[in-house]
Amino acid sequence: MADIQLIATDLDGTFLSDDKSFDKALFRVVLETLKNKNIQLAIATGVHQERINVLLADFLNEGMAYVTNNGARVTNANGQLIYERTLAMPILLRVQQLLTAFPVKPSRGLVYSTDDTAYIPREYEHIMLQSHRRYFKQVIIFDDVSEIKAPILKVTMNWQNFDETQFYDAARQTLGDTVHVTETGTGAIDIVPADVNKAIGLKTLADNMGISMANVAAFGDGANDFEMLTAVGQPFIMPGASITGPFNKVTADNNHAGVLKTILTII
């Protein structure tokens, strides 16, 4: 078994408990152990950096690396941006057209996002809860996507009491290989640039550090983790995960610090 030099973990449903908390005392033990063994920790998630900054506010100076927005943006442990892919305006216009034509509107919201700003169509302004707004530095309302001048990393839409795979299929059929359509890890659908996923982002980070993917361990639970789990030397899947494959099983679930406990047993 190859020595582990880099560990990546998903957040929602994996590292975080269902109430978005985690065992901070145990996390400090893990971080200190990783530091002593010269093993890098990376957060690999579908969410944007500002949301991570809120969730992990007490640990932002611990030298973690980040693969965010389902792989569209990567920063190394020094805070250096080493990879970023955004959605071009012609693609954003096609996404807008698709959402306008789709018969079931995202009842739980629609967001075009940068790494810290949410751009929300005016008709969805009332849907975005204050609890979600705290994960963005700024919220900007627009009438047409052509008004957006900032680089957009992803478009996220969410439904209540609706099988979102219907939109997933429609998006794949309409947009084809011009984008990558995936789940967010939080029960919604993300549209990110083509050829973007967590595996590509994590490999970019590993290459930047001079680490082989054979020496990487990763933890995940959902479809947006699948490429990453199949790309690393030591993949770990959470109990009750929505995907299957030749992955190691984590014994304790996300509500019982399964990731942190497993890390301490494998390093």
Side-chain angles (χ1 to χ4, degrees):
M1 182 180 294
D3 291 335
I4 298 174
Q5 298 175 19
L6 170 62
I7 298 175
T9 180
D10 173 48
L11 286 179
D12 296 287
T14 303
F15 176 84
L16 296 174
S17 63
D18 292 345
D19 65 2
K20 308 306 178 187
S21 66
F22 58 96
D23 188 330
K24 293 184 178 181
L26 183 57
F27 190 35
R28 291 193 185 280
V29 171
V30 168
L31 288 171
E32 186 64 25
T33 304
L34 293 175
K35 181 179 179 181
N36 290 338
K37 293 178 177 288
N38 197 30
I39 300 172
Q40 178 66 52
L41 180 66
I43 303 298
T45 175
V47 305
H48 57 285
Q49 188 66 48
E50 186 60 25
R51 182 182 176 103
I52 298 170
N53 293 349
V54 173
L55 294 169
L56 304 182
D58 296 335
F59 298 90
L60 299 180
N61 295 320
E62 295 293 338
M64 290 181 285
Y66 300 95
V67 177
T68 64
N69 299 281
N70 273 320
R73 193 172 193 270
V74 182
T75 54
N76 64 18
N78 297 321
Q80 178 187 9
L81 178 65
I82 60 174
Y83 180 87
E84 185 176 62
R85 295 293 181 271
T86 59
L87 292 159
M89 182 53 67
I91 299 298
L92 293 176
L93 289 168
R94 290 182 64 190
V95 171
Q96 178 177 253
Q97 291 168 359
L98 171 63
L99 286 160
T100 300
F102 194 72
V104 183
K105 304 307 176 188
S107 57
R108 294 185 62 188
L110 169 62
V111 180
Y112 296 71
S113 59
T114 71
D115 221 34
D116 60 11
T117 301
Y119 289 83
I120 302 175
R122 192 172 303 279
E123 64 180 301
Y124 293 94
E125 178 181 6
H126 67 287
I127 299 176
M128 190 175 192
L129 302 176
Q130 193 62 38
S131 59
H132 292 161
R133 288 176 181 259
R134 74 188 183 100
Y135 294 128
F136 292 95
K137 286 184 178 179
Q138 189 176 15
V139 175
I140 298 175
I141 307 303
F142 68 89
D143 294 299
D144 188 87
V145 74
S146 61
E147 300 168 23
I148 300 176
K149 304 306 178 185
I152 297 299
L153 294 164
K154 63 177 181 176
V155 184
T156 304
M157 58 289 302
N158 204 345
W159 288 262
Q160 188 171 17
N161 301 321
F162 174 71
D163 179 8
E164 67 273 4
T165 60
Q166 294 180 42
F167 179 81
Y168 177 93
D169 293 339
R172 291 288 300 273
Q173 181 176 0
T174 302
L175 302 173
D177 59 5
T178 63
V179 298
H180 177 54
V181 186
T182 186
E183 70 168 42
T184 63
T186 58
I189 296 292
D190 263 358
I191 296 177
V192 296
D195 301 320
V196 162
N197 59 53
K198 290 186 185 182
I200 292 173
L202 185 57
K203 187 176 188 307
T204 300
L205 175 63
D207 288 346
N208 180 259
M209 299 180 63
I211 295 174
S212 166
M213 290 294 276
N215 298 99
V216 179
F219 294 82
D221 74 307
N224 64 334
D225 298 312
F226 186 79
E227 294 95 344
M228 175 175 71
L229 292 174
T230 57
V232 302
Q234 296 195 43
F236 291 85
I237 195 170
M238 302 302 292
S242 63
I243 53 175
T244 59
F247 310 132
N248 302 302
K249 303 295 192 297
V250 176
T251 303
D253 67 15
N254 61 305
N255 292 313
H256 297 88
V259 169
L260 296 177
K261 292 174 181 177
T262 302
I263 287 175
L264 290 176
T265 67
I266 65 174
I267 60 175

